[in-house]
Amino acid sequence: SVSAGFAIIDMMEWSRLPIYTTGVGMVSSMALGIFMAGERSQRILTPRTSILSHRFSGMTMGNYSELIARRKEEDFLHERLINHYMEYTLLKTREEVEQILMRDVDTWLTPEEAIKYGIADRVEMKNRQNGGL
């Protein structure tokens, strides 16, 4: 969930230790927000990792007053996500974030595109210590 992801990010930012992140296989949804909050220069992707960015979705039930109250929280979450992307990527305006990473449809990125947008710092082809074996 988005709120659980932000709890993890809060702990990462609070930590005195640098948090290195590695994306393997697929990094999607709120996991992408967590990944990009890693220590700059230490956000690493493997070459065949798929990256998925999209707007969050939710389901709300209740009476009219409950729906209005929930809508306020959903608006807060959307703003937090926009601000998070602007802080941890090279995208610096709301418009850029919404046009590139938070569109109405899923946005799939290659590791190279993730580097282009400042989501990740590098792609590691193989383990340097053992030659990738």
Side-chain angles (χ1 to χ4, degrees):
S1 74
V2 176
S3 56
F6 276 122
I8 293 169
I9 291 165
D10 285 344
M11 294 305 297
M12 291 169 67
E13 291 175 347
W14 178 77
S15 174
R16 293 181 192 160
L17 300 173
I19 308 293
Y20 295 9
T21 54
T22 304
V24 178
M26 181 172 24
V27 180
S28 62
S29 202
M30 197 58 202
L32 180 58
I34 294 167
F35 171 82
M36 71 176 68
E39 182 76 16
R40 295 215 192 250
S41 80
Q42 299 299 324
R43 301 173 303 171
I44 300 167
L45 294 170
T46 57
R48 289 170 284 282
T49 302
S50 296
I51 296 98
L52 169 63
S53 179
H54 60 120
R55 293 178 187 230
F56 74 92
S57 61
M59 184 182 341
T60 303
M61 295 173 37
N63 64 36
Y64 177 73
S65 297
E66 292 166 334
L67 294 174
I68 296 299
R70 182 65 189 156
R71 175 59 194 257
K72 181 178 179 181
E73 174 62 10
E74 290 172 352
D75 288 343
F76 284 152
L77 288 177
H78 183 73
E79 290 304 313
R80 284 182 196 130
L81 285 167
I82 294 284
N83 291 332
H84 182 72
Y85 274 62
M86 289 190 307
E87 181 177 354
Y88 286 100
T89 70
L90 297 176
L91 306 175
K92 296 304 173 197
T93 67
R94 175 188 191 88
E95 292 75 24
E96 285 180 307
V97 171
E98 289 183 327
Q99 288 174 0
I100 297 170
L101 297 176
M102 291 183 67
R103 302 179 307 150
D104 288 334
V105 298
D106 289 348
T107 301
W108 290 95
L109 303 171
T110 65
E112 293 75 23
E113 290 171 316
I115 291 170
K116 172 185 171 183
Y117 295 125
I119 293 168
D121 300 306
R122 66 182 188 272
V123 177
E124 287 286 332
M125 298 303 211
K126 36 176 120 165
N127 185 308
R128 293 180 181 167
Q129 292 179 352
N130 64 15
L133 299 177

